[in-house]
Amino acid sequence: MTETAARLLQLLSLLQTRREWTGPELAERLGVTVRTVRRDIERLRELEYPVHASLGSIGGYRLEAGTALPPLLLDDEEAVAITLGLRNAALGAVEGIDESSARALVKLQQVLPARLRRRVEAVRSATVSLGGPAAGPMVEPETLVVLAAACRDHERVRFHYRDKGDTETRRLTEPHSLVSAGRRWYLVAWDIDRIDWRTFRVDRIEVPQAIGIRSTPRQLPAEDAAAFVTRSLAHSRPLRRVVFLVHASAPQLIETFRVRPEEIEPIDDKTCLLRTSADALEWTAVRIAHLGLEFEVREPPEMAEMLADLGAKFLRAAGASRTRK
């Protein structure tokens, strides 16, 4: 590969990692002059890559959507991460993503170097999935794409939103982050009309549209977006206190049940109390029953009743299966 060709590939890779680069920034990264950057940009345009240049004393460049998809230039870690992510995408909460992921996975595996295929296979063979599809409502992939781009580019988005009472409102927001909470996706955004931060369930967002207005990033009133969503959900719906006596060590329970250390009180090396909160007792009952650990319900009484009903359903299902045999 010639030096110019290699530099063009490196330039194309840089343009794919950020919305916009200035000429001096690209020149510094490539180790060339700004004039050489301008010539290389023209070469990319001759190859029909839609590189847009903005006016100004410094100028800026960005790769826009065109009629053809430019080659995605990935380093080894990125290629492995994307391949593993595509393998697991069918277990996510994004509608229709399983078929699209399968097609993309086939294409990616065809071009992966042998050394990377071995790394992917090593991870795949050493891991086991615990569950099936996400239990929450499905999210449109197009909605995630629009919102993710708006978070990245600090661009305002307008959309229709249906609350839990099915009341529809129009919102104008400055998206900050998307948070995946296993069963659901949430958007953290500044609500312009309400002059406050809000958490929106993405499956309730309809017709999101970026309106082309950029905004200055705001300081989120929390450690990060995940903490903000956790706090918002705690305030928006009542939480029930749940206490289990679990026959497992504290480290084992922290790892399997994914709770904070302060929610666990060790009794001895093989037993501890789990004190947690739940907005849905049903989901907590399924989680604790799925762990394969022996446990006892201490509170609330409704949890014991729920587990009894769940156990009765399993016994009926098992009995019906034996009868058919």
Side-chain angles (χ1 to χ4, degrees), residues 120-168:
V120 171
E121 181 59 26
V123 176
R124 186 205 63 78
S125 62
T127 56
V128 178
S129 173
L130 283 178
M138 303 298 283
V139 172
E140 293 288 342
E142 294 82 0
T143 298
L144 282 179
V145 169
V146 172
L147 297 177
C151 292
R152 179 196 64 194
D153 301 333
H154 309 296
E155 187 172 0
R156 291 183 177 182
V157 171
R158 191 185 303 277
F159 53 79
H160 296 263
Y161 189 71
R162 292 186 178 276
D163 63 18
K164 59 184 179 181
D166 206 34
T167 300
E168 182 178 309

Side-chain angles (χ1 to χ4, degrees), residues 238-258:
L239 294 177
R240 301 290 303 277
R241 174 181 168 86
V242 179
V243 181
F244 295 109
L245 176 68
V246 184
H247 297 281
S249 66
Q252 182 183 7
L253 186 56
I254 292 173
E255 176 64 25
T256 55
F257 203 65
R258 303 292 185 183

Side-chain angles (χ1 to χ4, degrees), residues 243-290:
V243 181
F244 295 109
L245 176 68
V246 184
H247 297 281
S249 66
Q252 182 183 7
L253 186 56
I254 292 173
E255 176 64 25
T256 55
F257 203 65
R258 303 292 185 183
V259 292
R260 299 187 303 275
E262 57 266 28
E263 294 181 281
I264 295 177
E265 177 188 338
I267 296 178
D268 53 41
D269 292 341
K270 298 182 179 179
T271 312
C272 55
L273 282 175
L274 168 62
R275 295 186 176 91
T276 187
S277 299
D279 63 301
L281 293 182
E282 297 89 346
W283 176 243
T284 304
V286 171
R287 284 185 65 201
I288 191 72
H290 189 66

Side-chain angles (χ1 to χ4, degrees), residues 15-315:
L15 290 171
Q16 291 173 354
T17 61
R18 259 172 47 182
R19 178 178 176 86
E20 188 166 292
W21 291 82
T22 66
E25 287 175 331
L26 289 172
E28 181 181 357
R29 294 294 294 269
L30 296 171
V32 297
T33 65
V34 173
R35 184 178 179 182
T36 300
V37 169
R38 286 198 294 266
R39 287 201 302 265
D40 287 348
I41 292 293
E42 287 304 318
R43 291 188 178 101
L44 289 179
R45 289 171 177 162
E46 291 171 2
L47 295 172
E48 299 185 355
Y49 294 117
V51 182
H52 175 78
S54 58
L55 301 177
S57 58
I58 299 180
Y61 301 99
R62 67 173 179 269
L63 187 64
E64 296 187 333
T67 57
L69 182 68
L72 296 177
L73 305 174
L74 307 172
D75 61 28
D76 288 4
E77 287 73 19
E78 291 169 341
V80 171
I82 290 175
T83 304
L84 293 172
L86 290 171
R87 286 184 180 273
N88 294 326
L91 299 179
V94 183
E95 186 171 4
I97 202 70
D98 49 352
E99 181 181 349
S100 301
S101 299
R103 294 198 306 269
L105 183 60
V106 169
K107 294 178 182 179
L108 186 56
Q109 287 181 324
Q110 286 177 340
V111 298
L112 275 181
R115 70 179 189 281
L116 297 187
R117 286 199 298 270
R118 288 193 294 270
R119 289 173 60 181
V120 171
E121 181 59 26
V123 176
R124 186 205 63 78
S125 62
T127 56
V128 178
S129 173
L130 283 178
M138 303 298 283
V139 172
E140 293 288 342
E142 294 82 0
T143 298
L144 282 179
V145 169
V146 172
L147 297 177
C151 292
R152 179 196 64 194
D153 301 333
H154 309 296
E155 187 172 0
R156 291 183 177 182
V157 171
R158 191 185 303 277
F159 53 79
H160 296 263
Y161 189 71
R162 292 186 178 276
D163 63 18
K164 59 184 179 181
D166 206 34
T167 300
E168 182 178 309
T169 55
R170 284 179 61 83
R171 303 297 184 96
L172 178 60
T173 65
E174 296 176 0
H176 180 279
S177 300
L178 284 167
V179 177
S180 172
R183 295 176 294 159
R184 295 192 177 100
W185 284 84
Y186 294 93
L187 171 68
V188 176
W190 176 263
D191 191 314
I192 294 175
D193 296 327
R194 289 156 180 77
I195 319 177
D196 199 3
W197 289 97
R198 289 289 189 271
T199 298
F200 301 94
R201 268 181 47 177
V202 175
D203 60 286
R204 293 175 177 168
I205 292 176
E206 299 176 358
V207 200
Q209 293 181 328
I211 63 175
I213 298 177
R214 303 285 290 275
S215 57
T216 302
R218 299 176 184 270
Q219 182 65 41
L220 191 67
E223 179 182 354
D224 52 31
F228 182 82
V229 169
T230 300
R231 189 178 67 191
S232 298
L233 296 180
H235 292 164
S236 65
R237 59 198 183 203
L239 294 177
R240 301 290 303 277
R241 174 181 168 86
V242 179
V243 181
F244 295 109
L245 176 68
V246 184
H247 297 281
S249 66
Q252 182 183 7
L253 186 56
I254 292 173
E255 176 64 25
T256 55
F257 203 65
R258 303 292 185 183
V259 292
R260 299 187 303 275
E262 57 266 28
E263 294 181 281
I264 295 177
E265 177 188 338
I267 296 178
D268 53 41
D269 292 341
K270 298 182 179 179
T271 312
C272 55
L273 282 175
L274 168 62
R275 295 186 176 91
T276 187
S277 299
D279 63 301
L281 293 182
E282 297 89 346
W283 176 243
T284 304
V286 171
R287 284 185 65 201
I288 191 72
H290 189 66
L291 295 183
L293 301 175
E294 294 294 326
F295 66 94
E296 303 168 20
V297 177
R298 292 296 175 89
E299 60 177 275
E302 294 90 335
M303 176 61 73
E305 296 171 3
M306 191 169 299
L307 285 165
D309 291 341
L310 187 61
K313 289 179 183 178
F314 289 157
L315 288 173

